[in-house]
Amino acid sequence: MDPRVSPSTSHGEFGPAKAATCPVCREGSAAVFMTLAQRRYWRCPRCLATFLDPDQHPCRSTEREEYDRHQNRVDDPHYQAFLKPALEAVRRRVAAGSRVLDYGCGPGPALGRMLTDADYAVALYDPLYRADAGVLQPGYDAITCTEVAKHFHHPAREFQRLTALLRPGGWLIVMTRFQTDDARFAGWHYRRDPTHVVFYRPETFRHLGRRLGWQVCCTPPHLVEIQRI
């Protein structure tokens, strides 16, 4: 299925759908992509992001309840193995001793521990669990953003912030599962989490790169290595 074509124009209980500005690139006039269980999803024709109707975003308390159910322990070897691609990307791109920000570290900052153990100078930030605005200062050599971008209610603003926090030549390492198969979107486990509100394709990050001054390398199924130029 062409990702630019909406398979559904169902109005459901929302009334007639109106074109929405894409929250990822702020360029496209998005169209309704699909309505599932009273949740309306939009597709941007420019960057190809798919996103939940902003009127249906979960509140912070709902997000916190959902995150607290996750069992992402710092010392869990399976969780560490899952995060290893991000660690290896940092090690490929910047030298030990470099300043790294783990953005959206969650209650159990396993990647932060792994980076510290690899001799990086690590700062931690999370809007719910470690909301220390003092660490949000420019000059980082690398920023990790693992399984966080799918939660962004205002992704364009978040990516502009992250870009500004990097030094020129610095690296943003993103992990988020790429949405590539429209035919499987309805049953996709990644979509069904109520806190997942935006879904990206490799083309989405390449489009953002042209706007924000990035060089972008996407490695399926979920790794993006972005250099600020």
Side-chain angles (χ1 to χ4, degrees):
M1 180 182 297
D2 188 332
R4 295 168 179 80
V5 177
S6 169
S8 171
T9 57
S10 169
H11 300 329
E13 298 180 0
F14 300 93
K18 298 180 181 179
T21 300
C22 175
V24 180
C25 70
R26 291 180 174 161
E27 294 179 17
S29 294
V32 174
F33 166 64
M34 192 176 291
T35 301
L36 299 163
Q38 302 182 2
R39 289 164 68 84
R40 174 182 282 174
Y41 296 91
W42 299 77
R43 166 68 53 76
C44 175
R46 296 293 296 277
C47 73
L48 304 185
T50 301
F51 57 94
L52 180 67
D53 193 299
D55 289 340
Q56 297 183 294
H57 284 174
C59 65
R60 279 293 176 90
S61 61
T62 298
E63 288 183 311
R64 179 68 181 254
E65 289 174 5
E66 184 66 27
Y67 302 155
D68 286 346
R69 295 190 185 100
H70 296 178
Q71 299 297 317
N72 297 333
R73 302 190 314 276
V74 172
D75 59 351
D76 183 346
H78 298 288
Y79 188 43
Q80 291 178 354
F82 173 75
L83 295 170
K84 189 175 180 179
L87 172 66
E88 293 302 319
V90 172
R91 296 179 73 173
R92 278 196 301 274
R93 302 303 188 180
V94 298
S98 300
R99 296 179 63 220
V100 181
L101 173 65
D102 186 7
Y103 189 84
C105 63
L111 181 58
R113 171 77 63 80
M114 294 160 69
L115 288 163
T116 298
D117 290 346
D119 295 325
Y120 291 96
V122 179
L124 303 174
Y125 178 80
D126 189 280
L128 291 177
Y129 298 98
R130 292 176 183 264
D132 178 8
V135 304
L136 300 180
Q137 302 296 326
Y140 286 101
D141 300 295
I143 299 173
T144 57
C145 185
T146 55
E147 295 299 320
V148 176
K150 62 195 177 187
H151 301 293
F152 286 163
H153 289 192
H154 305 283
R157 187 168 70 196
E158 295 283 1
F159 285 121
Q160 287 174 336
R161 167 191 271 184
L162 293 171
T163 301
L165 292 176
L166 284 171
R167 64 168 178 77
W171 288 85
L172 171 62
I173 307 301
V174 176
M175 282 179 59
T176 190
R177 186 73 56 171
F178 299 142
Q179 193 268 309
T180 57
D181 191 343
D182 286 348
R184 297 184 179 181
F185 185 76
W188 191 27
H189 76 282
Y190 211 64
R191 178 200 67 81
R192 294 197 297 268
D193 187 310
T195 67
H196 296 185
V197 300
V198 58
F199 309 95
Y200 308 84
R201 293 171 178 263
E203 294 90 337
T204 309
F205 289 102
R206 295 184 189 115
H207 183 82
L208 288 176
R210 290 189 288 272
R211 294 185 61 246
L212 296 174
W214 294 347
Q215 286 188 347
V216 177
C217 176
C218 295
T219 305
H222 60 182
L223 181 66
V224 191
E225 297 170 80
I226 297 164
Q227 186 176 32
R228 178 186 173 185
I229 305 304

